[in-house]
Amino acid sequence: MSTPKEQLDLFVAIIGDVPLRDDREMMSAPMVSLAKRSPKRLEWEGPSGQSVLITASEETGGIATIYDFDIILWAISQINAGVERGQKPGPTITFRPYDLMKSIGHSTGGKNYKQFKAAIKRLQGTRIETTLRRRDKDRNEVFNLLADYTLEEDDQGRPLGAQMTLPRWIHRAVVEGREVLAISPLYFELTRGLDRFLYRLARRHAGNGIDNRDGWVFTFKDLHKRSGSPAPYGQFARDLRSAIKRDALPTYSLSEEVGANGPLVRMEWRRLLL
């Protein structure tokens, strides 16, 4: 039986449509793998000295992917919705896997539940070491993308209920720092990891077309590093040009420009033609 303190810390997931939110710091740095066959280690150093080191436990086979991260997006959105309703949700969410999977656009059959279990295991086994929220001082923080999780199943292995706990690093950003940004529900329809990465980066930096009227520009080389892509730069550049041509991002358009230090990508809020 849980203690009164533990009961207060539990947040029961809200059923139905919840506005989607993302962690703004996690939108512009590699925290997961873009490839479904993920490596066991990724490392990045940002232009202002920020650093991220991602490693995976031996049991998971690789670090969590950007598709696995859908679960974290759902959890962030749930906690944020609780805050906006005047609650003070703790980092532990009680939920039904069926509701979560449906909310992020996944099918809910037995095979899909097995994929969900593998994803949540990778998230818990992915360790992040970062200085992203250092606030102008040396501050190295270490956490797993999920602190822990519990899955309850019947005798046939079918899901009954679940709990998962977000790391304090993410929970504080949502509840205390309010460091979240709204994202389009069409994000879940993006099937390519690179498109998902580009959308999150554009949402973080290009904004809503008001603050940054000309959008935001990144070099191809910077995007290669930020993405954490294991592909050689030449292959990544070809994939990036394909993404620009594909023009699949909700809300944002991409265009290539010539830069002094190599090709650039401009990310702009889509302007409606009236």
Side-chain angles (χ1 to χ4, degrees):
M1 181 179 295
S2 60
T3 67
K5 173 64 167 62
E6 289 171 332
Q7 290 171 358
L8 286 173
D9 285 342
L10 296 179
F11 174 71
V12 178
I14 300 167
I15 305 300
D17 293 334
V18 169
L20 289 175
R21 297 293 185 269
D22 201 345
D23 181 310
R24 54 185 293 129
E25 291 293 347
M26 301 183 81
M27 297 169 85
S28 60
M31 290 285 192
V32 290
S33 170
L34 301 190
K36 292 184 177 180
R37 289 189 176 184
S38 58
K40 292 186 177 180
R41 178 187 177 97
L42 282 177
E43 194 166 0
W44 174 73
E45 183 173 335
S48 301
Q50 322 96 304
S51 65
V52 176
L53 172 63
I54 317 171
T55 53
S57 65
E58 289 297 326
E59 294 79 13
T60 61
I63 66 175
T65 71
I66 201 163
Y67 308 97
D68 300 335
F69 194 74
D70 288 355
I71 295 170
I72 301 295
L73 289 177
W74 177 87
I76 289 172
S77 303
Q78 285 284 331
I79 295 294
N80 181 74
V83 173
E84 292 184 343
R85 293 184 181 197
Q87 299 174 308
K88 294 183 178 179
T92 300
I93 305 174
T94 300
F95 65 98
R96 292 195 311 163
Y98 173 87
D99 295 326
L100 186 158
M101 293 162 65
K102 189 175 180 181
S103 294
I104 61 178
H106 291 196
S107 299
T108 55
K111 178 181 178 181
N112 306 103
Y113 177 59
K114 290 181 180 179
Q115 292 171 343
F116 164 77
K117 289 173 66 175
I120 206 168
K121 183 177 181 180
R122 280 190 295 271
L123 290 165
Q124 200 282 322
T126 297
R127 179 181 183 271
I128 308 288
E129 184 175 340
T130 184
T131 62
L132 275 178
R133 292 195 174 112
R134 60 186 179 179
R135 296 294 182 265
D136 298 323
K137 63 181 180 180
D138 290 335
R139 182 174 181 176
N140 195 47
E141 298 179 277
V142 180
F143 58 93
N144 286 44
L145 284 176
L146 277 181
D148 57 59
Y149 67 90
T150 300
L151 299 177
E152 299 177 12
E153 302 173 333
D154 64 16
D155 293 339
Q156 304 300 316
R158 293 173 296 209
L160 297 175
Q163 287 182 359
M164 62 179 170
T165 303
L166 287 174
R168 287 183 298 171
W169 194 87
I170 296 178
H171 182 260
R172 285 197 306 263
V174 180
V175 175
E176 299 173 17
R178 304 301 291 137
E179 298 179 38
V180 293
L181 290 175
I183 61 172
S184 170
L186 296 176
Y187 170 83
F188 291 133
E189 296 182 13
L190 296 174
T191 58
R192 290 177 168 87
L194 180 57
D195 287 347
R196 288 177 166 223
F197 161 74
L198 291 169
Y199 170 79
R200 296 177 72 218
L201 195 64
R203 178 64 186 92
R204 168 68 175 84
H205 292 279
N208 58 8
I210 297 174
D211 297 332
N212 301 312
R213 300 188 66 85
D214 295 324
W216 201 271
V217 174
F218 289 97
T219 67
F220 275 37
K221 291 180 180 178
D222 187 15
L223 290 178
H224 184 223
K225 292 178 182 178
R226 283 180 186 271
S227 71
S229 171
Y233 172 73
Q235 179 61 55
F236 178 83
R238 289 190 289 273
D239 292 342
L240 189 53
R241 288 190 171 101
S242 295
I244 293 170
K245 183 178 180 180
R246 197 160 50 241
D247 194 29
L249 306 191
T251 314
Y252 297 96
S253 62
L254 305 174
S255 58
E256 181 178 349
E257 298 181 3
V258 176
N261 297 310
L264 307 172
V265 172
R266 183 174 297 276
M267 301 174 166
E268 294 181 277
W269 178 269
R270 291 186 188 274
R271 291 175 172 80
L272 298 179
L273 298 177
L274 301 179

